[in-house]
Amino acid sequence: MTAEQIDDVVGYMNEVGRRARVAARAMARAGTGQKNRALIAIADLLDRQRDAIASANRQDMDAGAAKGLDAALLDRLELTPARIDSMIEGLRQVAALPDPIGAITDLDYRPSGIQVGRMRVPLGVVGIIYESRPNVTADAAALCLKSGNATVLRGGSEAFASNQAIADCIQQGLVEAGLPAEGVQVVATTDRAAVGAMITMPECIDVIIPRGGKGLIERISRDARVPVIKHLDGICHVYIDAHADLDKAFAIALNAKTQRYGTCNTMETLLVDAPVADVILPRLAAAYAEKGVELRGCVRTRDLIPDAIPATEADWDTEYLAPILSIRVVDGLDEAMDHIARHSSAHTESIVTEDYSHARRFLREVDSSSVMVNASTRFADGFEYGLGAEIGISTDKFHARGPVGLEGLTSLKFVVLGNGEIRV
Amino acid sequence: MTAEQIDDVVGYMNEVGRRARVAARAMARAGTGQKNRALIAIADLLDRQRDAIASANRQDMDAGAAKGLDAALLDRLELTPARIDSMIEGLRQVAALPDPIGAITDLDYRPSGIQVGRMRVPLGVVGIIYESRPNVTADAAALCLKSGNATVLRGGSEAFASNQAIADCIQQGLVEAGLPAEGVQVVATTDRAAVGAMITMPECIDVIIPRGGKGLIERISRDARVPVIKHLDGICHVYIDAHADLDKAFAIALNAKTQRYGTCNTMETLLVDAPVADVILPRLAAAYAEKGVELRGCVRTRDLIPDAIPATEADWDTEYLAPILSIRVVDGLDEAMDHIARHSSAHTESIVTEDYSHARRFLREVDSSSVMVNASTRFADGFEYGLGAEIGISTDKFHARGPVGLEGLTSLKFVVLGNGEIRV
């Protein structure tokens, strides 16, 4: 099916949603072995269909080049053999993860005689809206499948042929394992009205996960009538306390900024407690200079780093995603936490300190999805945290915070075991 | 302050929201002892201020009677001495509950050397929108306070004076315990625009909990730009399996319908497996007749209970909240679960069976917030489940399902403890 064949996009999306809702029941009751067989079958099919996938991708790449897409976008679009390997490997890894579904916890007896516990269950139908990377099709489908959800995937129009080729493998793999093909559907139209329909059908879709640029995510959050698990900004802070081990502080502040520049868990603002600023800042400035990081500082920072550019108020609220760092000298823990409360995007903050009470207060009082002591913000990641995989990082507070793995795609229902008890 | 003094309702609500956001930081870091002292202080103040509260309530009752409010509404509005006692007792009970905030779980070491766990944290600012019962003001404030949240309460206009009198005690109790008075704010206007403002300020309010009639809740869900924890319908089912112990089935089916008629966890539809219908239905019909319950049945039901009214398709989708019951004879577990999947409001369903595999399938496959074996649906309740208290029952899947206690007003953040680890 190609995009051009669909005239009534809203009617088509209603049909996609209805089929997903029906398939969700089968996905929810699928056993662990059956889901794993589907994941392995999809991995095998992707391996056998490498040529077809590469050829579909070439078609997208040629069309993209002809349309004048920029190099960065074309790079994200490309499915190299290594990237296909990585999709296949990802499916096998998800098959190896423990199945969260059906697990019962806290099954306690109550005075009435009933036994009450909670069972982990799928959310139902997960909608994923993403941009150019076609590997998201396989990665997201795998996590939704393992967590017992049906999935509706809507990828970027520039990756249309690639996504459809991957979708063919996924649906065939589902069927081989005895699951409904509609357990994973890739929207077969590039019409933007499909996105509008997806985010406004709570009767068919239980949660939307947008992955892409901030503009896409803001638009979707504003218009959605379905709950959204989203990630807007990563304005992450490292605070070097007066009681820090300065060697740890040096290593962490350097790593958090320079290990990768374009990631959401990269530090954007460094806060330094005044008593140690004159020791640590010149040392860090030299190391940042060597890496080519531009420094923007407050007045007190510039006293110690004369080359730093004056920071403006806007700097404290900016996610650079680039070799740029803003630095502020503060007077103690409370001023650091006030700065974070005002300017952080609630993603990840780290304190470097050897002071027990400062560490304990920072952990408790900083309201971000990840709060660290003596560790680089770059660790805020589903794999590093041991979730096994990650469908995104939530900067919201409701339902899921921080890296979202399989558990974030589930919910808990109550189960009650009785022996004929009635309420008196 | 009275309602009449506020001209710019949206500006006023923005100010309420801003103050709540500031107070939320103090509420989040308040210790267990401090929160308990506030709860006890509020209980003591309510006790000492009984006369003022009763007099404010009389003012509301007189105004309500003059406006011609119906008897049921006036009953809900009234604060009898027993109801004031019950508010006071409720505050003391919440003080006695364990504090969920700050608890760290699953603190495991990772191969990188970091230790990763999760800390339970408040959601931030909780908005409660409710109708006539003024006791909700104290009950909801207590749960939000104990879970470390700031609260904005917007009660019904007919209970305005009562709510303000209770709010005075709450704010004074907060201050006595060293917490900000703005930790709990009761909206001081009856203007409906206040509700519209509350549900569209995600920058100030993190979650909205509407309590009241279905119309209110539907309106709020439709227009909200803030996550909503809501409860729409309670269309609960009991399924009597062919392998049921029929004495248990009789007791449960009678209790689930007749113990109280107006509650959300009351059974509205009884499903009976064909092989036992001729034994159990006439016996139940006699018992229901004695209680004055009107029966509406499918064709096969009416063969066994000739007095039953024919059920229409609409009956399967109706929450009667009255002495009315719809009954359907089905052919086995799958047909019962299909009926439930189509018609249930995903609140509470119970199977009566001695068959192990049927019980296990029902528990796993029925997608409702509470799923029971051999127990009355009337047990679906925060107190019966041991949550200690309940701010509502969620029929949503996202974030919280079923009875919502303190935990539903919290979230989990990641905490990372390191020793200078950096990412390589």
Side-chain angles (χ1 to χ4, degrees):
Chain A
M1 187 185 288
T2 68
E4 286 62 47
Q5 294 172 325
I6 298 166
D7 292 325
D8 173 14
V9 173
V10 171
Y12 165 73
M13 289 307 297
N14 283 334
E15 186 52 26
V16 166
R18 201 196 54 75
R19 286 196 297 249
R21 181 58 79 211
V22 171
R25 276 186 76 194
M27 300 299 282
R29 67 173 172 253
T32 308
Q34 191 178 20
K35 291 187 286 192
N36 290 346
R37 280 194 299 281
L39 289 162
I40 300 295
I42 296 166
D44 291 345
L45 282 157
L46 288 174
D47 200 11
R48 287 206 300 277
Q49 299 290 320
R50 281 172 175 280
D51 293 345
I53 293 166
S55 134
N57 187 244
R58 213 150 32 233
Q59 192 182 317
D60 285 334
M61 292 287 290
D62 291 346
K67 268 203 295 189
L69 297 185
D70 66 34
L73 213 151
L74 285 173
D75 174 63
R76 286 201 290 277
L77 183 54
E78 189 174 9
L79 282 177
T80 60
R83 283 180 182 172
I84 296 178
D85 286 344
S86 158
M87 275 199 294
I88 295 168
E89 180 53 24
L91 282 154
R92 296 190 196 281
Q93 281 172 1
V94 173
L97 289 177
D99 185 351
I101 299 303
I104 296 177
T105 45
D106 307 321
L107 195 58
D108 295 324
Y109 279 96
R110 299 288 309 149
S112 59
I114 62 172
Q115 207 179 352
V116 180
R118 306 182 83 179
M119 184 191 282
R120 195 161 286 285
V121 292
L123 287 174
V125 179
V126 179
I128 316 264
I129 297 169
Y130 52 111
E131 292 183 325
S132 42
R133 294 182 200 273
N135 56 305
V136 172
T137 309
D139 297 350
L143 288 172
C144 294
L145 195 169
K146 183 74 181 231
S147 54
N149 292 287
T151 320
V152 177
L153 295 147
R154 206 286 184 178
S157 56
E158 62 285 357
F160 188 79
S162 311
N163 290 338
Q164 294 296 318
I166 296 167
D168 289 345
C169 296
I170 294 171
Q171 295 204 319
Q172 196 181 327
L174 287 169
V175 171
E176 283 182 16
L179 289 167
E182 296 79 15
V184 178
Q185 297 177 82
V186 173
V187 172
T189 170
T190 58
D191 194 318
R192 277 176 162 245
V195 172
M198 264 178 87
I199 65 175
T200 52
M201 40 168 73
E203 64 288 356
C204 292
I205 293 184
D206 295 294
V207 61
I208 291 283
I209 305 178
R211 290 184 42 170
K214 195 175 170 183
L216 171 82
I217 293 170
E218 280 179 337
R219 239 178 7 256
I220 286 173
S221 308
R222 196 187 51 228
D223 299 335
R225 300 256 301 107
V226 176
V228 176
I229 296 179
K230 70 173 181 294
H231 171 276
L232 278 176
D233 285 312
I235 304 177
C236 301
H237 297 74
V238 171
Y239 166 58
I240 301 176
D241 189 52
H243 306 282
D245 173 325
L246 293 184
D247 288 333
K248 292 179 192 169
F250 177 81
I252 289 169
L254 196 63
N255 182 263
K257 181 71 232 179
T258 67
Q259 202 245 347
R260 274 182 72 185
Y261 295 111
T263 47
C264 60
N265 54 18
T266 297
M267 167 179 66
E268 305 293 7
T269 300
L270 175 65
L271 302 170
V272 182
D273 203 358
V276 291
D278 59 341
V279 183
I280 191 72
L281 277 182
R283 192 176 154 202
L284 275 170
Y288 287 132
E290 206 168 290
K291 299 267 188 185
V293 177
E294 175 187 317
L295 302 182
R296 304 186 185 176
C298 68
V299 173
R300 290 202 276 178
T301 299
R302 283 183 291 118
D303 285 346
L304 299 165
I305 311 174
D307 291 346
I309 296 168
T312 65
E313 268 303 298
D315 278 301
W316 311 128
D317 298 315
T318 299
E319 182 180 21
Y320 301 114
L321 297 170
I324 305 172
L325 176 69
S326 55
I327 306 179
R328 182 169 196 168
V329 175
V330 295
D331 290 313
L333 177 62
D334 282 293
E335 198 176 307
M337 293 199 296
D338 283 343
H339 179 100
I340 289 169
R342 191 163 313 117
H343 300 288
S344 160
S345 64
H347 188 298
T348 299
E349 332 295 338
S350 183
I351 185 175
V352 188
T353 191
E354 298 297 314
D355 183 288
Y356 167 82
S357 297
H358 284 193
R360 198 160 174 251
R361 279 195 62 201
F362 192 87
L363 281 176
R364 168 76 186 254
E365 296 180 29
V366 170
D367 186 25
S368 295
S369 70
S370 287
V371 186
M372 305 181 167
V373 179
N374 292 341
S376 170
T377 56
R378 288 281 296 124
F379 282 111
D381 173 283
F383 290 93
E384 293 294 337
Y385 283 180
L387 306 184
E390 176 186 293
I391 201 151
I393 294 188
S394 166
T395 53
D396 286 323
K397 293 184 182 183
F398 205 65
H399 185 73
R401 293 191 85 170
V404 179
L406 290 175
E407 191 183 297
L409 299 171
T410 68
S411 184
L412 291 168
K413 72 182 178 191
F414 285 94
V415 293
V416 176
L417 305 182
N419 188 34
E421 281 81 4
I422 59 170
R423 185 132 172 225
V424 287
Chain B
M1 186 185 287
T2 69
E4 286 62 47
Q5 294 172 325
I6 298 166
D7 292 325
D8 173 14
V9 173
V10 171
Y12 165 72
M13 288 308 297
N14 282 335
E15 186 52 26
V16 166
R18 200 196 54 73
R19 284 195 299 247
R21 180 58 80 210
V22 171
R25 276 185 75 193
M27 300 299 282
R29 68 173 173 253
T32 308
Q34 191 178 21
K35 291 187 287 192
N36 290 347
R37 280 194 298 281
L39 290 163
I40 299 295
I42 296 166
D44 291 345
L45 283 157
L46 288 174
D47 200 11
R48 287 206 299 276
Q49 299 291 319
R50 281 171 176 278
D51 292 346
I53 293 165
S55 136
N57 187 245
R58 213 152 28 234
Q59 193 183 318
D60 285 333
M61 292 288 287
D62 291 347
K67 268 203 293 188
L69 297 185
D70 67 32
L73 213 152
L74 286 172
D75 174 63
R76 286 203 289 278
L77 183 55
E78 190 175 6
L79 282 176
T80 61
R83 284 181 181 170
I84 296 177
D85 286 344
S86 160
M87 278 199 295
I88 293 167
E89 179 54 25
L91 281 154
R92 296 191 195 281
Q93 281 173 3
V94 172
L97 289 178
D99 185 351
I101 298 303
I104 297 178
T105 46
D106 308 322
L107 194 58
D108 295 325
Y109 278 96
R110 299 288 308 149
S112 60
I114 61 171
Q115 207 179 353
V116 180
R118 306 181 83 179
M119 184 190 282
R120 195 162 286 284
V121 292
L123 287 174
V125 179
V126 179
I128 316 264
I129 298 169
Y130 52 111
E131 293 183 325
S132 43
R133 294 183 200 273
N135 56 304
V136 172
T137 308
D139 298 350
L143 288 172
C144 294
L145 194 170
K146 184 74 183 233
S147 55
N149 292 287
T151 320
V152 177
L153 294 147
R154 206 286 186 180
S157 56
E158 62 285 357
F160 189 81
S162 310
N163 290 339
Q164 293 297 318
I166 295 167
D168 289 345
C169 296
I170 294 172
Q171 295 202 320
Q172 196 181 327
L174 287 168
V175 171
E176 283 181 16
L179 288 167
E182 295 79 14
V184 178
Q185 297 177 82
V186 173
V187 172
T189 170
T190 58
D191 193 318
R192 276 175 163 247
V195 172
M198 264 178 88
I199 65 175
T200 52
M201 40 168 74
E203 64 289 356
C204 292
I205 293 184
D206 295 293
V207 60
I208 291 282
I209 305 179
R211 290 182 45 168
K214 195 174 167 182
L216 172 81
I217 293 170
E218 280 177 337
R219 241 180 1 258
I220 286 172
S221 309
R222 196 187 50 229
D223 299 334
R225 301 253 304 106
V226 177
V228 176
I229 296 179
K230 70 172 180 297
H231 170 278
L232 277 177
D233 285 311
I235 304 178
C236 301
H237 296 75
V238 171
Y239 166 58
I240 301 175
D241 189 52
H243 306 282
D245 174 325
L246 293 184
D247 289 334
K248 292 179 192 169
F250 177 82
I252 289 169
L254 195 63
N255 182 262
K257 182 70 231 179
T258 68
Q259 201 244 348
R260 274 181 72 186
Y261 295 110
T263 47
C264 59
N265 54 18
T266 297
M267 167 179 66
E268 305 293 8
T269 300
L270 175 65
L271 302 171
V272 183
D273 203 359
V276 291
D278 60 341
V279 183
I280 192 71
L281 277 182
R283 192 176 153 200
L284 274 170
Y288 287 133
E290 207 168 287
K291 300 266 188 185
V293 176
E294 176 187 315
L295 302 182
R296 303 185 185 177
C298 67
V299 173
R300 290 203 276 179
T301 299
R302 282 182 293 117
D303 286 345
L304 300 165
I305 311 174
D307 291 348
I309 296 168
T312 65
E313 269 302 300
D315 278 302
W316 312 127
D317 298 314
T318 299
E319 182 181 21
Y320 302 114
L321 296 170
I324 304 172
L325 176 70
S326 56
I327 306 179
R328 182 170 198 169
V329 175
V330 296
D331 290 313
L333 177 63
D334 282 292
E335 198 176 307
M337 292 199 296
D338 283 343
H339 179 100
I340 290 169
R342 192 163 311 120
H343 300 289
S344 160
S345 64
H347 188 299
T348 299
E349 332 296 337
S350 183
I351 185 175
V352 188
T353 191
E354 297 298 313
D355 183 288
Y356 167 82
S357 298
H358 284 193
R360 198 159 174 253
R361 280 195 60 202
F362 193 87
L363 281 176
R364 169 77 186 253
E365 296 180 27
V366 171
D367 185 26
S368 295
S369 69
S370 288
V371 186
M372 305 182 168
V373 179
N374 293 341
S376 169
T377 55
R378 288 280 297 123
F379 282 111
D381 174 282
F383 290 93
E384 293 294 336
Y385 283 180
L387 306 184
E390 177 186 292
I391 201 151
I393 294 187
S394 166
T395 55
D396 287 322
K397 293 184 182 183
F398 204 66
H399 185 74
R401 293 191 85 170
V404 179
L406 290 175
E407 191 184 297
L409 300 172
T410 68
S411 184
L412 292 167
K413 72 182 179 190
F414 284 95
V415 292
V416 175
L417 306 182
N419 187 36
E421 281 80 4
I422 59 171
R423 186 131 172 226
V424 286

